[in-house]
């Protein structure tokens, strides 16, 4: 249980971040939902806690906004227990020869600088507190690249590596640092990218959801925010105190490698 813990979830307004925020709140944590889009509708649905939840409109690409997010959270609640760096974006699916500098900057800025900004701001607090948890949402594609997704693959490999290095640095400060590597998850990101993935303007989402699961995922369904919420809650809990520097697959068997 996460009773009384204080957690920040970036990209928490929808998708996997929403699943993490809901699970943390259900376990008694106070959650700060940090997203570039307002998260008030979700805030109203979170299980209530004694000291309440918050939303913050933050672009994780901005070091100042992320520093302020962490500082404001500590000022409001007196501490920070868990930092979840989940906000991320997919690339366009173009091959490397066709990629633009703008897309490189966009994907790497959100997926790598954004996670770095969150890690650095939280690490400064956790070093002082001598206690903390950092959970970074990477992807199994950070371990096994996919053609047409070089920028996304490279960005998630960077998240895994950053996680490992930070785990080595923060172990002596009572802080664990881990990454979650989801497989193909049913979220708004996947739905929005489906036309590009399948080359159809208006694809039948449910049909492709079933077909993808049947063809690629041994457990027979796509993952959800609830699945990620459950793993993140465990990583944030006292039970996971000896787990650090890990990149944990969460794929329903879609990826069976280390
Ligand atoms: N959906 C998948 O199949 C899948 C698989 C593996 C990993 N992931 C990763 O999981 C994370 C969440 O993905 P999702 O599928 O829930 O995506 P999503 O697009 O459904 O939700 C992402 C959230 O992040 C927010 N966000 C994006 N850029 C931001 C920024 N610069 N600053 C602040 N907030 C920002 C968005 O507003 C949105 O609320 C991402 O890091 C993604 O790469 C997703």
């Amino acid at each position: 249980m996460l009773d009384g813990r204080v957690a920040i979830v970036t990209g928490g307004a929808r998708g996997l971040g929403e699943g993490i925020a809901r699970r943390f709140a259900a376990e008694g944590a106070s959650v700060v939902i940090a997203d570039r889009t307002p998260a008030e509708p979700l805030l109203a649905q979170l299980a209530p806690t004694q000291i309440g939840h918050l939303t913050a409109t933050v672009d994780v690409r901005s070091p100042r906004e992320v520093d302020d997010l962490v500082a404001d959270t500590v000022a409001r609640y007196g501490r920070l227990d868990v930092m979840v760096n989940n906000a991320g974006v997919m690339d366009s699916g173009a091959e490397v020869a066709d990629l633009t500098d703008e897309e490189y900057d966009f994907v790497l800025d959100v997926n790598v600088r954004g996670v770095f900004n969150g890690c650095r701001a939280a690490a400064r607090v956790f070093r002082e507190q001598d206690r903390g948890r950092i959970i970074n949402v990477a992807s199994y594609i950070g371990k096994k690249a996919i053609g047409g997704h070089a920028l996304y693959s490279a960005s998630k490999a960077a998240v895994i590596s950053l996680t490992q290095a930070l785990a080595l640095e923060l172990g002596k400060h009572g802080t664990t640092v881990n990454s979650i590597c989801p497989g193909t998850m049913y979220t708004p990101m996947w739905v929005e990218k489906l036309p590009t993935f399948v080359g159809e303007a208006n694809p039948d989402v449910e049909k492709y959801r079933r077909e993808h699961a049947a063809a690629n995922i041994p457990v027979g369904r796509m993952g959800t925010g609830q699945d990620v919420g459950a793993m993140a809650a465990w990583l944030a809990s006292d039970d996971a105190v000896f787990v650090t520097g890990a990149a944990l697959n969460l794929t329903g068997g879609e990826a069976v490698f280390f």
Side-chain angles (χ1 to χ4, degrees), residues 10-18 34-38 57-62 65 85-90 106 109-111 114-115 137-141 152 155-156 180-192 197 222-223 225 228 250:
T10 72
R14 71 178 204 182
L16 303 185
E18 175 181 342
D35 204 295
R36 68 181 171 189
T37 57
T57 306
V58 172
D59 187 330
V60 295
R61 290 173 291 182
S62 161
E65 289 184 26
N85 296 301
N86 161 79
V89 290
M90 222 329 162
F106 176 62
D109 251 14
V110 178
N111 290 4
V115 172
V137 179
S139 168
Y140 82 103
I141 299 175
Y152 188 76
S155 72
K156 294 303 186 178
I180 297 176
C181 299
T184 311
M185 311 299 273
Y186 185 66
T187 68
M189 175 194 271
W190 184 80
V191 173
E192 284 169 11
F197 294 152
M222 288 177 65
V228 179
L250 184 69

Side-chain angles (χ1 to χ4, degrees), residues 90-112:
M90 222 329 162
D91 55 29
S92 67
E95 294 194 353
V96 170
D98 301 317
L99 282 170
T100 62
D101 294 335
E102 288 72 25
E103 184 171 350
Y104 178 96
D105 287 343
F106 176 62
V107 175
L108 273 290
D109 251 14
V110 178
N111 290 4
V112 184

